[in-house]
Amino acid sequence: MTCRIARSALSTGIALTLAGMTAAAFAQTTTPQAADGKDKVVEISSVNVTASGSRIDRPGFNAPTPTVKVTPEDLQLSTHTNVAAALNDLPQFRGTVSPQTHTTGVDAARAPVDLRGLGVSRTLVLLDGRRFSSDNDLATIPSILISGVEVVTGGASAAWGSGAVGGVVNVQLDSQLVGTKIDVQGGMSSRSDNQKQYVAAATGFEIAQGRGHVVIGGEALNNDGVIPKTARSWLGRTAQLSNGDGTYTMKGDVGYGNAAIGGLITSGVLAGQAFNPDGSLRPFAGYTGASLIQGGESPNNDDISSLVTPQRRYNVLGRLSWNLTDNVGLTMDVRHSRSWNRFPWFGDHNRGTGLRLGVDNAYLPTAVRDVLVAAGETSFSLGRFNSDFAFPDIDYDRRTTQFTVALDGVVGNNWRWGGYYSHGDNQSDLAAPGFLLTSNYRDAVDAVIDPATGKAVCRVTLTNPNSGCVPINLFGHGAPSAEAAAYVTGTPRRMTNTRLDAAGLDLRGEPFALPAGDVSVAVGLEARKEQIDQKVGAQDLAKAFTTWSSSPIAGDFTVKEAFAEVAAPLLRDVPGLRDLQINAAARFSDYDSSGAIWSWKYGMTNEFFDGFRGRFTRSRDIRSANLTEMYTTSTTGWSTISDPLTGSSLSALVIGGGNPLLNPETADTLTAGFTWAPASVPGLIMSVDYFDIEIKDVITQVSAQETVLRCFAGNQAMCGRIQRDASGAIERINSNYVNLAQYQTNGVDVDLLYTLPAAKLFPSMSGSFHTRVLATWVDSLTTYDGKNSFEYVTSQGLTNGSGVPRWRANATVGWRGDRYSAQARARYLSAGVYNNQLVLTNGNIGSYVYWDVGGRARFPLSGDNEFEVYADISNLFDKKSPLGAVGSPYYDVVGRYFTLGARMRF
């Protein structure tokens, strides 16, 4: 017996499928048109029945929810080494987490995706319709095994699962691969950095006389990144400096004005004098007493930390499909991935004026002591940029293993069923050597002369000879001894394990027919448990570090869900209502952490005239806090902050982390649009869709700069997250997760594809020309914290900010022949500002266009074997990013980039 499964012509064309699919459908279950215009059915054996989270198997052109389909050809256009990077090129996405945006954090190794700029946690990411472990990290999936990606833009929680507030990204694997394919590529920037080496391979074959099928694939990447930030002079050492009148100016060559390499005296008669390596003093060039200054000899962490973090990773995946009977198929998956690296974190984390030393310090040069004593001073403040010790590295290791077993089958002629269980473990270990130990550093700095021996010792040693304290000399670069540096520093450690257990059952079919066609229904149950268990080092447990100590955490939540979906054709072949269909779904989710909650949707589609179809969807979507948002331990980083309260700019310590008291969020989503494939213009397909999403009780991590701005606007809760010193200067900012009142966005997506046989223009030419335009216009993206509303549209240059451009578009023009192909792509960003919450005198950013070009040459080998070479140049004209746009998800900070590679299939 064979299982009759319909496939969609829309899902096999070049570029993205404009018509899309139902929010609960997938590429294996849609219907192409034969030459006579009737549905064409493809017969395949039941081993291919593996469910990909399908609820209702409906033709994609009838989808009420806008859906785009990304093909392997699309993923290869810019030779990206993971699918998330390719998706982030689409205007509906925002590259929130990437090696470019997270330059000083462990998240740089991850590759999640963010639809609509609403945050990665509001985009539900699935692998063949099922949740997968590793925090939705698409870099853990071998790209060479991906057959396509469905992107559902708009609320889809009822059909796909809780959490799909911004939409769904469903990655589909090539389960039917036969043969072997290999991809090897290398690349580097025109400045000879960001060098990458990438290799991927996959093979598939039948076993047991075709009863079973095996697919195995994997990939490995090594990328050097870009270190330091000053490798791009217009990005490193930039900051917004106060003009003293409430305005700021973005300037380059900015550094710390209150700390010097080797030490800077910041108080008293010798204020502004810096120590030379031999302990003598010199005037600190550019000293004004400000936290940040331009020019002079001011040091900066940008001289050390990365602009694009380096990456090392590999992943492997194996799948076995087996016909248990003629009606039942078994699928088993095993996936493993690892990413690891060690690189400079954020430079010195102990600079400033908080270090107070006495004139009796054992290492203080006599000439300096004499001046201080003569002035009647008994102590002084020292700001030191510790480039000769205490620079932390980030040393991380992430490993993910997941296995899945699924059963799928058919019952009678009208019903399909499926069930699965999956277990995944994600182990993330972090060590950060180079953090200062509070008590050790305090004791070591307080060095005096032992009257008994005449040698320098810690003052504490005079009363406790067994203290083990090693005195440290801070006067001059290179002065600290190796023994002293080892005594005052330690290594924060945390070992975090997250686990995912998920299971589901579903039944789908066509129980009866209406005059206009079959009614499709789907029902099912799903359950999952997510857990986190974090252990930390002994020094962390003792809170021994000055600026950061991890904490042990343990937590979990369980959710049980039931869903139902129906799609019904109401009218057909009526003037103006040529194919009217409705679709509705509901889901009941019961969280043990936050209680029960409903999500639902309803929608309709209609063909008004030949080739023109309208669609409308209304939905209520839900999301409960995830493990990261509830339980993540404190994270640490440094940010340059413009403080309108004091009218100053400074570098502040930023502490992030989870919040177990978060409430679930709800979203109301509306989408409406049309698709049009005019018969008068063969090869043209276009779609236009309006979206409106409003989220209540928003779970979010307010950035450090935004926390300061919301405080200045009068939000006292935000003021409570800011710690200031006695002079009013910001010392640290808490930026952990909170519930805000509201998050709202609305806009329009435009998608146009035109394919033209080359012979139409050049009769002797083979192949076809193709043009593709994808564009998103955002009317508004705002948050409301209960007191103030912040608008993020056009605020698109800020590091780790939440802004989005008004317009974002990609246009691709290319030609594809039997052996050769070439394409050019333009990536457009509309004009905006660096930060619309600050008055920056030079904060305007003009519109940007990046040009990319590439070409392919295929060489047939024996049989169906094929060899291909390809080359691509990204940012062809080496367009520089705006001044200071470090960490922006939109602007290219690397510059012109060359990629050369080869693929083989046999």
Side-chain angles (χ1 to χ4, degrees):
M1 177 179 178
T2 58
C3 175
R4 299 168 67 84
I5 295 184
R7 295 181 181 269
S8 173
L10 294 171
S11 68
T12 57
I14 63 170
L16 311 187
T17 301
L18 299 177
M21 307 174 65
T22 66
F26 66 109
Q28 291 182 338
T29 56
T30 49
T31 308
Q33 298 291 308
D36 59 4
K38 298 180 179 179
D39 288 348
K40 179 179 178 182
V41 175
V42 179
E43 294 188 356
I44 59 175
S45 66
S46 62
V47 74
N48 298 336
V49 181
T50 303
S52 292
S54 176
R55 304 295 182 243
I56 292 181
D57 309 334
R58 302 296 296 168
F61 201 68
N62 299 337
T65 306
T67 305
V68 291
K69 174 77 176 178
V70 183
T71 69
E73 289 81 5
D74 301 312
L75 300 179
Q76 294 170 4
L77 281 179
S78 295
T79 59
H80 292 299
T81 55
N82 69 69
V83 66
L87 292 174
N88 285 337
D89 278 346
L90 302 180
Q92 298 96 331
F93 288 86
R94 182 178 185 276
T96 304
V97 177
S98 72
Q100 176 176 314
T101 59
H102 282 63
T103 60
T104 59
V106 294
D107 275 345
R110 295 174 53 223
V113 286
D114 177 2
L115 273 166
R116 304 291 182 214
L118 296 175
V120 297
S121 60
R122 294 183 189 88
T123 300
L124 178 59
V125 181
L126 305 173
L127 178 59
D128 276 343
R130 297 184 283 263
R131 297 175 189 261
F132 65 99
S133 62
S134 72
D135 297 327
N136 293 339
D137 184 0
L138 291 174
T140 66
I141 302 172
S143 298
I144 199 168
L145 281 181
I146 294 175
S147 64
V149 182
E150 285 177 300
V151 180
V152 180
T153 58
S157 293
W160 287 93
S162 56
V165 175
V168 173
V169 172
N170 183 33
V171 179
Q172 300 163 332
L173 296 181
D174 185 1
S175 298
Q176 301 307 309
L177 173 66
V178 176
T180 299
K181 53 185 179 178
I182 300 171
D183 187 1
V184 178
Q185 67 174 252
M188 69 176 181
S189 77
S190 58
R191 295 164 180 80
S192 300
D193 55 16
N194 205 38
Q195 296 185 18
K196 69 175 177 182
Q197 302 85 41
Y198 172 81
V199 60
T203 187
F205 51 89
E206 293 184 345
I207 58 175
Q209 291 76 49
R211 193 173 183 84
H213 193 89
V214 175
V215 173
I216 302 172
E219 64 185 9
L221 169 71
N222 181 61
N223 191 308
D224 296 337
V226 179
I227 302 175
K229 287 185 176 68
T230 49
R232 305 295 184 268
S233 59
W234 61 95
L235 292 171
R237 297 178 62 92
T238 56
Q240 307 115 46
L241 296 185
S242 172
N243 297 315
D245 58 359
T247 67
Y248 296 81
T249 300
M250 180 73 71
K251 295 183 179 180
D253 192 23
V254 175
Y256 309 123
N258 57 0
I261 294 174
L264 169 68
I265 298 175
T266 59
S267 67
V269 67
L270 291 178
Q273 295 291 307
F275 286 93
N276 294 311
D278 62 0
S280 61
L281 292 176
R282 70 181 185 280
F284 182 70
Y287 181 76
T288 64
S291 176
L292 294 176
I293 61 173
Q294 186 178 28
E297 56 177 301
S298 56
N300 194 306
N301 280 340
D302 288 0
D303 299 328
I304 298 141
S305 60
S306 59
L307 177 66
V308 178
T309 54
Q311 300 179 73
R312 285 189 294 175
R313 63 173 171 84
Y314 68 80
N315 53 52
V316 292
L317 187 149
R319 168 169 288 183
L320 168 65
S321 303
W322 190 271
N323 279 338
L324 295 177
T325 71
D326 289 342
N327 298 316
V328 179
L330 168 71
T331 302
M332 293 188 293
D333 292 349
V334 176
R335 178 176 61 93
H336 176 74
S337 67
R338 182 189 178 206
S339 63
W340 74 103
N341 221 318
R342 180 169 178 170
F343 54 88
W345 199 342
F346 44 67
D348 180 30
H349 52 95
N350 191 56
R351 62 185 179 275
T353 59
L355 191 61
R356 195 76 183 176
L357 303 176
V359 296
D360 61 345
N361 189 281
Y363 297 111
L364 187 63
T366 302
V368 177
R369 179 183 295 109
D370 291 344
V371 174
L372 294 173
V373 171
E377 298 179 10
T378 59
S379 63
F380 61 97
S381 295
L382 183 74
R384 194 177 195 279
F385 192 73
N386 297 319
S387 54
D388 47 2
F389 81 102
F391 263 40
D393 284 349
I394 184 168
D395 186 356
Y396 70 89
D397 192 342
R398 296 175 180 268
R399 286 158 290 167
T400 297
T401 302
Q402 184 169 12
F403 72 85
T404 302
V405 57
L407 290 171
D408 298 274
V410 295
V411 178
N413 294 322
N414 296 321
W415 294 95
R416 280 88 59 205
W417 62 269
Y420 77 95
Y421 168 75
S422 184
H423 173 80
D425 278 277
N426 182 24
Q427 181 69 37
S428 179
D429 297 339
L430 170 68
F435 274 76
L436 288 176
L437 297 164
T438 304
S439 61
N440 286 21
Y441 190 51
R442 180 193 62 223
D443 293 342
V445 166
D446 190 15
V448 295
I449 297 296
D450 186 344
T453 64
K455 295 181 179 180
V457 297
C458 303
R459 192 185 301 271
V460 69
T461 303
L462 298 179
T463 56
N464 181 13
N466 298 319
S467 67
C469 181
V470 180
I472 189 168
N473 182 357
L474 298 180
F475 306 120
H477 182 72
S481 66
E483 295 78 11
Y487 176 73
V488 301
T489 59
T491 301
R493 300 179 185 276
R494 70 181 188 210
M495 295 70 70
T496 308
N497 179 258
T498 57
R499 294 181 293 279
L500 170 68
D501 288 278
L505 293 169
D506 68 83
L507 178 67
R508 55 203 184 276
E510 295 77 38
F512 61 91
L514 296 174
D518 292 337
V519 174
S520 298
V521 298
V523 295
L525 300 172
E526 293 179 340
R528 72 181 187 276
K529 182 176 183 179
E530 299 187 39
Q531 306 171 73
I532 185 170
D533 182 17
Q534 178 169 287
K535 296 178 172 58
V536 300
Q539 292 175 322
D540 297 81
L541 202 59
K543 301 299 179 185
F545 298 103
T546 302
T547 52
W548 179 44
S549 294
S550 294
S551 301
I553 55 175
D556 62 73
F557 69 84
T558 300
V559 58
K560 302 172 184 177
E561 299 182 299
F563 65 86
E565 186 178 4
V566 60
L570 297 184
L571 293 171
R572 188 184 294 271
D573 299 327
V574 175
L577 299 173
R578 299 183 57 175
D579 185 13
L580 177 63
Q581 302 193 29
I582 62 169
N583 180 282
R587 177 178 293 260
F588 178 77
S589 303
D590 186 8
Y591 286 84
D592 65 353
S593 58
S594 56
I597 193 166
W598 281 91
S599 55
W600 48 261
K601 75 158 188 174
Y602 61 85
M604 62 182 64
T605 66
N606 178 55
E607 186 178 12
F608 292 94
F609 54 86
D610 188 24
F612 185 89
R613 182 176 294 273
R615 56 190 176 196
F616 169 85
T617 301
R618 189 80 168 83
S619 67
R620 165 64 59 87
D621 300 286
I622 59 98
R623 189 180 77 86
S624 183
N626 58 34
L627 291 174
T628 298
E629 292 162 335
M630 288 192 291
Y631 300 115
T632 297
T633 190
S634 295
T635 58
T636 304
W638 286 90
S639 288
T640 300
I641 302 298
S642 298
D643 184 6
L645 181 65
T646 61
S648 63
S649 299
L650 71 160
S651 184
L653 184 67
V654 181
I655 308 295
N659 180 357
L661 302 179
L662 294 168
N663 296 319
E665 58 187 31
T666 59
D668 294 313
T669 300
L670 181 148
T671 61
F674 67 86
T675 61
W676 189 24
S680 59
V681 188
L684 174 65
I685 308 175
M686 66 179 299
S687 70
V688 178
D689 287 284
Y690 171 79
F691 62 89
D692 188 298
I693 304 172
E694 182 178 313
I695 310 171
K696 301 289 181 58
D697 290 324
V698 180
I699 301 168
T700 188
Q701 190 173 27
V702 181
S703 71
Q705 179 65 77
E706 188 175 326
T707 298
V708 173
L709 293 173
R710 287 182 183 271
C711 170
F712 185 71
N715 189 319
Q716 293 304 310
M718 292 294 167
C719 294
R721 303 163 71 84
I722 302 170
Q723 179 179 320
R724 299 178 181 270
D725 63 19
S727 67
I730 295 174
E731 289 186 326
R732 69 173 62 196
I733 300 169
N734 291 324
S735 183
N736 61 324
Y737 289 93
V738 296
N739 281 109
L740 291 183
Q742 182 177 296
Y743 208 160
Q744 185 275 334
T745 186
N746 68 299
V748 175
D749 291 328
V750 178
D751 199 342
L752 182 149
L753 171 65
Y754 182 56
T755 304
L756 179 69
K760 292 279 188 179
L761 299 177
F762 307 100
S764 62
M765 188 175 184
S766 63
S768 62
F769 293 103
H770 55 90
T771 301
R772 183 63 186 276
V773 178
L774 285 162
T776 293
W777 173 78
V778 183
D779 175 47
S780 178
L781 176 65
T782 60
T783 64
Y784 177 65
D785 60 14
K787 185 174 180 63
N788 301 291
S789 182
F790 277 54
E791 173 64 69
Y792 296 105
V793 174
T794 73
S795 186
Q796 58 206 52
L798 180 63
T799 302
N800 296 327
S802 301
V804 296
R806 179 76 65 187
W807 278 99
R808 190 178 176 204
N810 290 343
T812 302
V813 178
W815 169 79
R816 183 179 292 111
D818 293 335
R819 291 186 58 182
Y820 303 101
S821 62
Q823 70 278 329
R825 182 177 67 163
R827 293 175 281 147
Y828 171 77
L829 295 167
S830 61
V833 298
Y834 183 86
N835 183 355
N836 62 7
Q837 303 302 320
L838 284 177
V839 181
L840 281 173
T841 60
N842 60 344
N844 292 335
I845 301 173
S847 60
Y848 262 66
V849 178
Y850 293 105
W851 289 92
D852 312 316
V853 295
R856 311 284 188 272
R858 290 177 291 277
F859 303 97
L861 303 175
S862 60
D864 295 330
N865 301 340
E866 185 179 78
F867 178 74
E868 177 186 89
V869 294
Y870 57 90
D872 289 87
I873 305 176
S874 299
N875 194 356
L876 176 65
F877 299 109
D878 197 30
K879 190 173 182 65
K880 295 180 179 179
S881 59
L883 183 69
V886 177
S888 167
Y890 302 113
Y891 298 102
D892 182 355
V893 302
V894 174
R896 185 184 297 115
Y897 195 83
F898 305 96
T899 298
L900 180 65
R903 300 185 181 99
M904 179 179 289
R905 180 156 187 166
F906 54 90

